[in-house]
């Protein structure tokens, strides 16, 4: 799940959230680097309640149509549970007292879980980090089962279920962390979605901290809203400093690319007083011929591949990162 595959064709990354669906499949070639082989997206219809049976039915049909007619290679997919369904916590490595690590971690988080805190009802991933800390991500088992059912009913083969923090780290490592000096650098990855902002702090491929903030692009329409987001990001920095005494964040990378106004990024970087760079993953890959959107196709709703570098409102980082898993 955490490494890159030798096969030049990656699985299909499926970023299935409650507001939109994005599918992307990457491939690698020694001569041309990374290529986007296939991709498409759809917005959830306004009359479909997120997480409802109608949403699940829409997801099954849409995934089936897009993967059937979208020139994707194979049926292997890696999906992810929506951000809002993933619980994340950080703390010192617990004493196991003869138990395995997951049992000890579950004992630490069970009172905090936003769903029925039964061990058999919880799917959990524990990641030991630096300075004797652990990062834990958890979700309800029924959420995983629902997504597995979507891919099964769509005629696809699910290789694994990923999580958005790991997908963002994959994107950074593959496209923006390739220098020798990046191997030891600690960076803050900021990925602004429509209704929330996902934040990851990592040392290259080592995930150290992850948080989802309740302010997204839909509310970032002025400097005041950007300032509120900066306050949340400052809290992330403060939390990181308390957990990791011997590490320091060196720069920001905005993985949401051109999907957000650059002035917003500039305001965030200025108020955080940190160097920053754009991390547009769509600009970091070659666009395969089958993905290129012809001018005469721009207003069509065909199920084929519709990818256009000029379409800046879409954020592909999670879908790309899942494909790279």
């Amino acid at each position: 799940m955490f490494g890159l595959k030798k096969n030049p064709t990656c699985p299909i990354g499926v970023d299935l959230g409650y507001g939109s669906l994005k599918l992307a499949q990457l491939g690698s070639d020694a001569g041309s680097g990374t290529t986007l082989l296939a991709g498409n997206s759809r917005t959830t219809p306004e009359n479909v309640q997120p997480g409802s049976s109608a949403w699940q039915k829409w997801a099954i049909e849409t995934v089936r149509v897009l993967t059937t007619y979208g020139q994707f290679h194979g049926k292997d997919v890696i999906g992810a549970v929506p951000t809002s369904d993933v619980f994340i916590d950080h703390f010192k490595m617990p004493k196991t007292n003869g138990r395995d690590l997951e049992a000890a971690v579950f004992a630490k988080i069970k009172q905090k879980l936003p769903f029925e805190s039964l061990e058999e009802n919880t799917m959990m991933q524990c990641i030991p980090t630096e300075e004797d800390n652990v990062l834990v991500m958890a979700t309800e088992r029924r959420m995983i089962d629902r997504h597995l059912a979507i891919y099964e009913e769509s005629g696809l083969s699910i290789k694994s279920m990923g999580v958005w923090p790991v997908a963002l780290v994959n994107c950074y490592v593959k496209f923006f962390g390739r220098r020798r000096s990046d191997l030891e650098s600690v960076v803050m990855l900021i990925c602004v979605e429509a209704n929330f902002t996902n934040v990851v702090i990592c040392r290259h491929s080592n995930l150290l901290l992850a948080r989802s903030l309740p302010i997204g692009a839909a509310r970032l329409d002025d400097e005041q809203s950007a300032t509120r987001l900066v306050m949340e990001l400052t809290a992330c920095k403060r939390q990181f400093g308390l957990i990791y005494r011997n590490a320091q964040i060196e720069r920001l990378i905005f993985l949401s690319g051109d999907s957000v106004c650059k002035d917003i990024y500039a305001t965030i970087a200025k108020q955080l007083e940190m160097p920053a760079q754009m991390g547009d993953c769509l600009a970091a890959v070659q666009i395969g011929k089958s993905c290129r959107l012809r001018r005469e196709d721009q207003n069509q709703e065909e199920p084929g591949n519709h990818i256009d570098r000029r379409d800046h409102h879409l954020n592909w980082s999670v879908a790309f990162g899942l494909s790279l898993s």
Side-chain angles (χ1 to χ4, degrees):
M1 176 177 176
F2 295 97
L4 302 182
K5 300 182 181 300
K6 295 181 179 179
N7 190 328
T9 301
C10 298
I12 303 167
V14 184
D15 179 10
L16 175 56
Y18 292 133
S20 66
L21 164 68
K22 299 169 197 164
L23 300 94
Q25 185 173 37
L26 302 176
S28 60
D29 184 274
S32 60
T34 304
T35 299
L36 178 61
L37 303 175
N40 212 324
S41 66
R42 288 290 184 272
T43 300
T44 306
E46 292 184 0
N47 62 339
V48 173
Q49 179 68 27
S52 64
S53 58
W55 172 83
Q56 187 169 358
K57 183 178 180 180
W58 170 82
I60 292 169
E61 183 61 24
T62 306
V63 169
R64 179 191 294 123
V65 169
L66 295 184
T67 53
T68 299
Y69 298 101
Q71 298 182 332
F72 289 91
H73 300 249
K75 298 291 186 180
D76 290 343
V77 301
I78 296 180
V81 177
T83 298
S84 58
D85 291 336
V86 181
F87 169 84
I88 299 176
D89 202 1
H90 316 77
F91 41 79
K92 284 294 183 182
M93 187 72 71
K95 296 180 180 179
T96 58
N97 296 324
R99 300 172 294 178
D100 61 27
L101 176 59
E102 288 202 356
V105 168
F106 182 76
K108 291 274 290 186
I109 68 170
K110 64 180 181 179
Q111 299 301 324
K112 304 179 184 179
L113 293 174
F115 49 83
E116 188 177 9
S117 56
L118 299 175
E119 192 164 2
E120 61 271 19
N121 185 49
T122 305
M123 297 290 288
M124 189 170 60
Q125 182 176 4
C126 304
I127 301 178
T129 64
E130 298 178 5
E131 302 183 34
D132 198 32
N133 291 297
V134 63
L135 185 154
V136 58
M137 294 174 282
T139 189
E140 276 189 280
R141 185 177 296 274
R142 69 180 182 88
M143 297 296 181
I144 298 291
D145 292 342
R146 181 168 63 184
H147 280 259
L148 294 178
I150 288 173
Y151 301 121
E152 182 178 354
E153 292 294 323
S154 301
L156 300 173
S157 173
I158 180 73
K159 293 189 69 66
S160 66
M161 289 295 295
V163 281
W164 64 264
V166 174
L168 295 185
V169 170
N170 288 344
C171 258
Y172 163 65
V173 169
K174 181 65 175 180
F175 302 125
F176 312 111
R178 303 177 66 176
R179 300 172 301 180
R180 184 184 296 269
S181 60
D182 292 327
L183 294 176
E184 294 301 324
S185 297
V186 176
V187 297
M188 176 184 279
L189 311 178
I190 300 176
C191 188
V192 184
E193 300 284 357
N195 298 308
F196 50 85
T197 295
N198 286 333
V199 180
V200 162
I201 301 177
C202 62
R203 189 190 300 275
H204 204 243
S205 60
N206 297 325
L207 178 60
L208 301 177
L209 183 142
R211 281 186 62 186
S212 186
L213 309 177
I215 301 174
R219 294 172 59 189
L220 289 176
D221 51 4
D222 55 37
E223 188 169 336
Q224 184 177 4
S225 58
T227 299
R228 289 196 297 270
L229 177 56
V230 168
M231 293 176 63
E232 295 276 4
L233 294 170
T234 300
C236 289
K237 286 181 60 180
R238 188 179 301 113
Q239 181 185 14
F240 178 80
L242 292 173
I243 297 174
Y244 301 98
R245 301 287 186 174
N246 301 318
Q248 185 173 356
I249 304 169
E250 298 180 26
R251 71 184 190 277
L252 312 174
I253 301 177
F254 294 103
L255 284 186
S256 33
D258 285 338
S259 64
V260 176
C261 174
K262 293 180 181 179
D263 291 342
I264 297 293
Y265 292 152
T267 298
I268 292 172
K270 181 179 179 179
Q271 293 194 30
L272 287 177
E273 298 181 333
M274 294 184 65
Q277 72 180 78
M278 292 280 287
D280 186 356
C281 61
L282 189 59
V285 300
Q286 300 291 325
I287 304 293
K289 291 182 179 179
S290 62
C291 274
R292 295 173 189 166
L293 178 60
R294 301 188 305 272
R295 186 176 300 276
E296 60 270 23
D297 290 338
Q298 288 185 357
N299 295 319
Q300 295 183 8
E301 285 296 324
E302 297 176 357
N305 292 325
H306 290 183
I307 302 292
D308 188 356
R309 291 191 197 275
R310 295 166 296 181
D311 188 6
H312 296 316
H313 75 282
L314 289 178
N315 177 359
W316 290 95
S317 53
V318 171
F320 277 33
L322 292 170
S323 183
L324 291 167
S325 296

